[in-house]
């Protein structure tokens, strides 16, 4: 099937303030001819992609309508969207006023980048269901034992009830975090996983809590790289909000937000060579 090249545009939001939701939803409702409620629901999971796979004419109408209510957005060709580099998880980092030095898992080589090369600080907060199993010994109830005694008293040889071992499943929800730094010159994407990262970089600030260390690490990186852009997760950290108020359903959601931010900031990735 040949792709319809007339629907190769999207509309990207430049920045978002919570008070703008109603205004944006009204514009999207008018452009797409869907109810405002549906437009609001869609906006909540758009991560700044207000329209996708639309014509350039529709995209420009949307941008013009948003400008009329003082909301800045832009038209972007699908082919111009930044293709995110693969992440490399790091095990350790060293912070200095000049830059960050880090070590990847499985390697003792040290890599260094100046803070001015940090293009985006992206914090992810996800919910994870943890299912566990354990064996539980179930004793017969007093009523069941009494009934058996009664039957045995009238000559029915059934014996006493025995203990049973049963497998019990339990489910709980936990939060897990990630921190991606998108670097330029050279392009790289390094990830800090608080479950495997050594927070020695915090020095005397380091605590016994990985969650607290994670917050402190994000705050320190933001302070050292003031020109870097920040995603919504990072803004939550800086505002001191409860992390359970923010979560992405999947890593794909986070990457979608990252793609929008990097695309509007002019982030350059190496061009893939044709085979």
């Amino acid at each position: 099937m040949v792709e319809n090249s007339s629907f190769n545009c999207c509309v990207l939001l430049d920045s978002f303030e919570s008070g703008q939701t109603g205004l944006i939803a009204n514009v999207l409702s008018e452009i797409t001819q869907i109810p405002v409620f549906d437009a609001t629901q869609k906006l909540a999971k758009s991560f700044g992609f207000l329209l996708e796979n639309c014509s350039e004419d529709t995209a420009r109408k949307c941008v013009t309508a948003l400008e009329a209510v003082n909301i800045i957005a832009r038209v972007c060709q699908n082919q111009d969207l930044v293709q995110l580099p693969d992440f490399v998880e790091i095990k350790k980092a060293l912070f200095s006023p000049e830059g960050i030095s880090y070590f990847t898992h499985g390697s003792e080589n040290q890599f260094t980048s100046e803070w001015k090369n940090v293009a985006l600080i992206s914090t992810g907060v996800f919910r994870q269901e943890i299912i566990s199993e354990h064996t539980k010994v179930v004793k017969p109830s007093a009523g069941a034992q009494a009934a058996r005694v009664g039957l045995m008293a009238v000559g029915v040889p059934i014996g006493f009830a025995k203990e049973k071992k049963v497998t019990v499943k339990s489910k709980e929800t936990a939060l897990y975090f990630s921190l991606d730094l998108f670097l330029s010159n050279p392009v790289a994407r390094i990830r800090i996983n608080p479950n495997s990262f050594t927070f020695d970089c915090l020095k005397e600030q380091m605590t016994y809590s990985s969650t607290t260390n994670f917050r402190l690490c994000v705050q320190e990186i933001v302070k050292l790289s003031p020109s870097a852009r920040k995603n919504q997760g990072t803004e939550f950290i800086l505002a001191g909000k409860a992390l359970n108020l923010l979560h992405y359903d999947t890593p794909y959601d986070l990457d979608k937000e990252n793609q929008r931010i990097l695309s509007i900031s002019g982030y350059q990735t190496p061009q893939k060579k044709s085979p």
Side-chain angles (χ1 to χ4, degrees):
M1 179 181 292
V2 179
E3 183 181 356
N4 189 340
S5 59
S6 63
F7 296 95
N8 60 356
C9 289
C10 56
V11 175
L12 305 181
L13 191 63
D14 264 36
S15 61
F16 178 74
E17 301 293 338
S18 58
Q20 297 176 335
T21 300
L23 294 173
I24 298 174
N26 287 334
V27 170
L28 292 180
S29 174
E30 181 181 349
I31 295 294
T32 60
Q33 299 298 300
I34 64 174
V36 173
F37 176 81
D38 292 340
T40 303
Q41 295 293 102
K42 186 176 181 181
L43 178 61
K45 288 297 182 182
S46 71
F47 299 101
F49 279 78
L50 302 185
L51 292 180
E52 296 182 80
N53 299 317
C54 63
S55 67
E56 185 172 351
D57 180 61
T58 298
R60 296 200 178 281
K61 286 180 180 178
C62 182
V63 169
T64 300
L66 289 168
E67 286 178 348
V69 290
N70 299 315
I71 295 171
I72 302 175
R74 66 183 71 190
V75 178
C76 184
Q77 299 281 335
N78 289 344
Q79 65 183 16
D80 295 330
L81 291 171
V82 168
Q83 300 306 305
L84 302 181
D86 295 331
F87 71 85
V88 176
E89 194 168 298
I90 65 175
K91 60 181 180 180
K92 182 178 180 180
L94 302 173
F95 298 163
S96 71
E98 293 74 31
I100 177 175
S101 298
Y102 58 92
F103 302 83
T104 61
H105 285 280
S107 173
E108 296 302 321
N109 294 330
Q110 177 176 318
F111 302 89
T112 301
S113 178
E114 296 180 65
W115 291 116
K116 67 180 182 180
N117 292 328
V118 179
L120 171 63
I121 304 167
S122 175
T123 304
V125 183
F126 305 93
R127 294 188 186 275
Q128 182 180 36
E129 285 192 348
I130 302 173
I131 299 176
S132 58
E133 294 183 358
H134 67 276
T135 301
K136 180 180 179 181
V137 177
V138 180
K139 296 182 178 181
S141 66
Q145 288 285 36
R148 285 177 174 271
V149 170
L151 291 172
M152 291 172 65
V154 296
V156 179
I158 61 173
F160 290 102
K162 297 180 179 179
E163 295 179 345
K164 292 182 179 180
K165 291 183 177 181
V166 297
T167 300
V168 179
K169 289 185 177 181
S170 60
K171 182 172 67 174
E172 61 180 347
T173 301
L175 294 178
Y176 70 97
F177 319 104
S178 67
L179 172 62
D180 283 3
L181 302 182
F182 289 84
L183 309 176
S184 57
N185 193 32
V187 167
R189 178 186 183 183
I190 59 175
R191 172 166 296 179
I192 291 175
N193 176 352
N195 293 325
S196 58
F197 183 73
T198 302
F199 286 98
D200 294 348
C201 52
L202 296 176
K203 299 179 180 178
E204 66 275 1
Q205 295 185 75
M206 189 169 65
T207 72
Y208 291 106
S209 167
S210 62
T211 301
T212 300
N213 289 336
F214 185 76
R215 281 185 178 273
L216 291 171
C217 188
V218 173
Q219 292 167 355
E220 188 67 14
I221 290 173
V222 169
K223 183 171 67 175
L224 291 167
S225 50
S227 63
R229 289 182 175 256
K230 301 176 286 291
N231 79 324
Q232 190 179 17
T234 301
E235 296 286 7
F236 256 60
I237 292 279
L238 298 178
K241 295 182 180 180
L243 295 180
N244 60 0
L245 298 178
L246 171 76
H247 68 276
Y248 301 86
D249 289 340
T250 66
Y252 172 81
D253 293 338
L254 178 61
D255 275 350
K256 192 168 185 180
E257 184 186 35
N258 292 334
Q259 186 180 44
R260 176 188 66 83
I261 295 172
L262 292 173
S263 293
I264 65 176
S265 66
Y267 185 72
Q268 298 293 322
T269 57
Q271 295 296 319
K272 294 183 178 180
K273 295 180 180 180
S274 301

